[in-house]
Amino acid sequence: MASNDNIAMTKNGANVGIIIGSQRIPRVGPQIATWVLNVLQEYQDSHSSTNQRAYALSLIDLNDHQLPLFDEPGIPAQISAPDGYAHEHTKAWSRRINSFDGFVFVTPQYNWGYPASLKNAIDYLFHEWKGKPALVVSYGGHGGGKAAAQLQGVLGGIGMKVVEKAPPLTFIDREQVGKAFRGEDLGLEGEAGRSLWVKEREDVGVAWEQFLGLLNK
Ligand SMILES: Cc1cc2nc3c(=O)[nH]c(=O)nc-3n(C[C@H](O)[C@H](O)[C@H](O)COP(=O)(O)O)c2cc1C
């Protein structure tokens, strides 16, 4: 299906959540997730034939929820409504995730995997994720491909419709690696940012087309 068709079919504002996968302080996760959001917003602006917003994009910061290590007495796969959970923090997380139609997971690579905080946030829920499309974008010194592959396996395991391609974002040089580790400004905004990750911008667009196709199924 052509991308314009996917946009046109995504009527009345599907809600897509862009999850910031890291929770450490400091971190660059919010900068990278914002870069992804801007790429997807530009995609919509350049592919949509009407002024109607085909989808709404929002950042989801795990730091806003401060989930403890998984502490629900029940198994989320057996709980179908927020009230079925024991704890308020789980009910709030369930309601938040329920309000979205699909997700982009922006994840760093930590020691060849994705962050424990992200796995914890995923494990808290089940039906809130199931059947919804998921796109993984990873980042790291080598692009974070190992984290992306592990995360894709888990998301497929909980019944999400996972986009096959997970575009990796590789820090451009040692200076950027150092800045990322220190949580400093990577210069991803504005015109300067547009000259970074040019090919990756295209790769995210291609993966996004697949995502929109899954959103419309
Ligand atoms: C605990 C830890 C483990 C890391 N392991 C890897 C790794 O396996 N591969 C890699 O490319 N970068 C690794 N890094 C570097 C991260 O890619 C980099 O610090 C990045 O900024 C992390 O994202 P964040 O700032 O959003 O937390 C690691 C960083 C941390 C904190």
Side-chain angles (χ1 to χ4, degrees), residues 37-141:
L37 184 147
N38 289 337
V39 170
L40 301 182
Q41 195 58 65
E42 282 175 24
Y43 182 99
Q44 167 156 249
D45 294 344
S46 61
H47 287 75
S48 191
S49 53
T50 67
N51 288 330
Q52 188 183 19
R53 281 260 178 265
Y55 46 80
L57 302 164
S58 322
L59 294 178
I60 301 173
D61 191 345
L62 302 182
N63 270 349
D64 290 341
H65 288 268
Q66 293 294 324
L67 294 165
L69 272 180
F70 184 79
D71 63 353
E72 279 291 323
I75 296 175
Q78 296 172 355
I79 296 167
S80 56
D83 284 348
Y85 295 110
H87 301 299
E88 279 310 315
H89 54 254
T90 319
K91 291 176 187 175
W93 181 231
S94 169
R95 281 193 294 271
R96 183 93 190 272
I97 294 305
N98 254 338
S99 70
F100 291 98
D101 304 299
F103 301 90
V104 181
F105 292 82
V106 180
T107 183
Q109 181 161 309
Y110 286 179
N111 296 322
W112 290 39
Y114 60 96
S117 51
L118 182 53
K119 181 67 161 65
N120 191 48
I122 292 168
D123 288 344
Y124 259 100
L125 310 175
F126 186 83
H127 294 285
E128 296 85 342
W129 305 115
K130 194 174 179 212
K132 296 177 183 175
L135 167 62
V136 174
V137 178
S138 64
Y139 58 95

Side-chain angles (χ1 to χ4, degrees), residues 22-24 26-30 108-113 139-144 171 177 180-183:
S22 61
Q23 269 192 273
R24 74 189 179 101
R27 60 185 171 153
V28 291
Q109 181 161 309
Y110 286 179
N111 296 322
W112 290 39
Y139 58 95
H142 300 281
F171 297 132
V177 167
F181 188 70
R182 294 189 297 274

Side-chain angles (χ1 to χ4, degrees), residues 162-185:
V162 183
V163 174
E164 200 180 322
K165 292 255 190 265
L169 305 175
T170 304
F171 297 132
I172 55 169
D173 54 22
R174 291 190 68 79
E175 189 188 349
Q176 203 183 44
V177 167
K179 282 185 174 177
F181 188 70
R182 294 189 297 274
E184 293 173 2
D185 185 0

